[in-house]
Amino acid sequence: CAATPLGAQGLERTEHEGFGGGNTAWEEEKLSKYQHSETRLLEVLEGVCAPSDFTCHQLLEQSEEHVEQWWFHERQQHPDFFQWLCVDRLMLCCPPGTYGPDCRSCAGGPQQPCSGNGRCDGDGTRRGTGLCVCSPGYGGPFCAECGDGYYEVLRNKSHLMCAECYQACGRCTGPEDSSCLRCKRGWVLHEHRCIDIDECGTEMAHCRANQYCVNTEGSYECRDCSTACIGCMGAGPARCKKCNKGYWRDGAKCLDVDECASAEEPVCTGVQEVCENTEGSYRCVCAQGHVRRDGQCVEDKPPDAPEKGFFDDVTDDEVVVLQQMFFGVMICALATLAAKGDMVFTAIFIGAVAAMAGYWLSDRSDRVLDGFMKGR
């Protein structure tokens, strides 16, 4: 129903166009008139549906035969494409100002449904109730009256203008606070003025036991009492009816009891536990330098790490040096064997071994002794 006006726009857009070939006279002689051609029909249909409107495209495809019949045979007799296709042939839509299966008139008449101050439910479709849904500020079955909280600014035979009353007025004769005829809920009328009702002072408020009432414009609020109170008459610990557990009264105010300082005996009896005061109570925490593990306060230190072995922290550079020294010792040993125990080569061999041991153990002398003592 919404797509058909685009079809009318397409007809207007192509009204003075041609085939576009450059020789309009020859084209119309050979191809028939552009105004009644299938070429123009296709150009009109291109703009009927939005690219993403799948439902419109589907309906147009299903109605292809009807569209061609109207274009080539019915257009002169029935120039209103919307009326012929959507209303009379497919029976999907209704003319503006009507609704429902039988296209009945909307409330207020088809010419100006709902007095122009609202919308007709189902307008232009085969659905809906035909009842008026009024715009803000208007009311009545035909939206021909001002709604609650609005007054008439202008009225004639065809037009009504309404404006908002003063905020407290339910009905009024003008915008002033002195022109009220009826008040909204939470207000009372006095000499054409709406006075706020103090629900808190008139016992009209309903708050829970541990709440107090605060009056507002046209209503009231319930707010929670202070944690120091059991029942209260206002905000803060000085408005308590009764002090809560963990508090004591000092004049009009309920103050926190310091259980840690006031108790004759320690309240925290665990090993390395100390008392910490809180609002209305206390808690037992571990003394400084201690943490709670498995319910007990123990000294806060990392667990003992296993002792390192003699070779645990050998670096990559040291490994390379060891490899080089090992090959040197092996060469010396082979040379000594080749010399059949010659003392010179034997001395070189012993010197090489001593040099390797001295180089590698020079900064580990303490660990060497400790390692041998522990069997490492």
Side-chain angles (χ1 to χ4, degrees):
C1 298
T4 50
L6 293 176
Q9 293 175 11
L11 289 172
E12 294 179 3
R13 176 173 51 82
T14 59
E15 180 69 28
H16 302 291
E17 292 187 5
F19 288 106
N23 192 341
T24 304
W26 180 87
E27 290 167 342
E28 292 192 351
E29 180 182 352
K30 300 297 182 182
L31 303 175
S32 77
K33 295 288 186 181
Y34 170 81
Q35 297 295 321
H36 307 287
S37 66
E38 187 173 358
T39 301
R40 184 188 179 196
L41 173 61
L42 293 175
E43 292 180 358
V44 171
L45 295 180
E46 284 179 357
V48 170
C49 301
S52 60
D53 193 343
F54 174 77
T55 303
C56 178
H57 284 287
Q58 186 179 39
L59 177 62
L60 193 61
E61 183 179 352
Q62 294 172 351
S63 307
E64 183 178 357
E65 293 183 3
H66 293 301
V67 173
E68 291 179 353
Q69 181 182 352
W70 176 80
W71 182 259
F72 294 114
H73 304 292
E74 304 284 347
R75 187 152 61 107
Q76 300 300 322
Q77 186 177 357
H78 303 284
D80 191 336
F81 177 57
F82 169 77
Q83 178 72 32
W84 183 86
L85 178 65
C86 300
V87 178
D88 299 334
R89 189 57 58 110
L90 299 180
M91 301 182 67
L92 295 175
C93 308
C94 288
T98 62
Y99 76 98
D102 301 324
C103 294
R104 297 182 179 180
S105 295
C106 290
Q111 302 303 319
Q112 194 178 24
C114 305
S115 307
N117 301 318
R119 62 176 181 84
C120 168
D121 181 36
D123 188 4
T125 72
R126 297 276 173 164
R127 302 185 300 274
T129 62
L131 300 177
C132 288
V133 180
C134 298
S135 301
Y138 298 89
F142 306 121
C143 302
E145 305 170 8
C146 290
D148 285 349
Y150 290 80
Y151 67 96
E152 288 187 8
V153 177
L154 175 68
R155 178 190 285 274
N156 55 36
K157 293 182 179 180
S158 61
H159 189 69
L160 170 66
M161 180 183 294
C162 299
E164 195 169 4
C165 297
Y166 178 70
Q167 61 175 353
C169 300
R171 291 189 64 83
C172 65
T173 57
E176 301 83 8
D177 63 347
S178 59
S179 59
C180 298
L181 300 175
R182 178 170 56 82
C183 296
K184 293 180 180 178
R185 183 177 180 180
W187 309 76
V188 61
L189 188 65
H190 179 69
E191 295 181 354
H192 297 291
R193 282 183 168 85
C194 291
I195 310 300
D196 175 51
I197 297 173
D198 185 358
E199 291 86 355
C200 302
T202 56
E203 298 184 354
M204 296 175 63
H206 300 283
C207 295
R208 297 197 301 270
N210 212 37
Q211 291 184 326
Y212 64 96
C213 177
V214 177
N215 188 57
T216 60
E217 288 287 316
S219 186
Y220 67 94
E221 293 179 357
C222 292
R223 300 179 184 175
D224 293 334
C225 295
S226 168
T227 54
C229 304
I230 298 178
C232 64
M233 298 172 289
R239 304 299 304 279
C240 298
K241 294 180 180 179
K242 184 179 178 181
C243 292
N244 206 347
K245 183 180 179 180
Y247 295 85
W248 64 283
R249 186 175 291 279
D250 181 14
K253 195 171 184 179
C254 291
L255 302 179
D256 173 52
V257 174
D258 187 349
E259 292 85 355
C260 301
S262 61
E264 296 180 359
E265 298 290 335
V267 293
C268 297
T269 58
V271 177
Q272 296 298 335
E273 277 189 342
V274 295
C275 178
E276 183 178 276
N277 188 56
T278 62
E279 190 69 24
S281 185
Y282 69 93
R283 60 174 174 242
C284 295
V285 299
C286 292
Q288 186 176 4
H290 294 75
V291 293
R292 192 175 296 278
R293 291 196 184 116
D294 299 326
Q296 301 293 325
C297 290
V298 297
E299 188 176 356
D300 186 14
K301 64 177 182 178
D304 294 335
E307 294 187 16
K308 291 184 178 181
F310 185 65
F311 295 101
D312 285 350
D313 58 354
V314 176
T315 66
D316 292 340
D317 292 339
E318 291 174 333
V319 171
V320 173
V321 172
L322 284 173
Q323 290 174 344
Q324 294 172 347
M325 288 185 173
F326 174 76
F327 287 122
V329 169
M330 292 301 296
I331 292 171
C332 289
L334 291 174
T336 303
L337 291 175
K340 298 180 180 181
D342 186 276
M343 292 303 294
V344 175
F345 289 101
T346 302
I348 295 173
F349 172 70
I350 294 172
V353 173
M356 182 182 72
Y359 178 85
W360 191 55
L361 299 176
S362 60
D363 60 344
R364 292 177 169 80
S365 57
D366 293 337
R367 288 178 51 202
V368 170
L369 179 60
D370 184 62
F372 279 117
M373 293 293 292
K374 295 182 178 180
R376 297 188 179 192

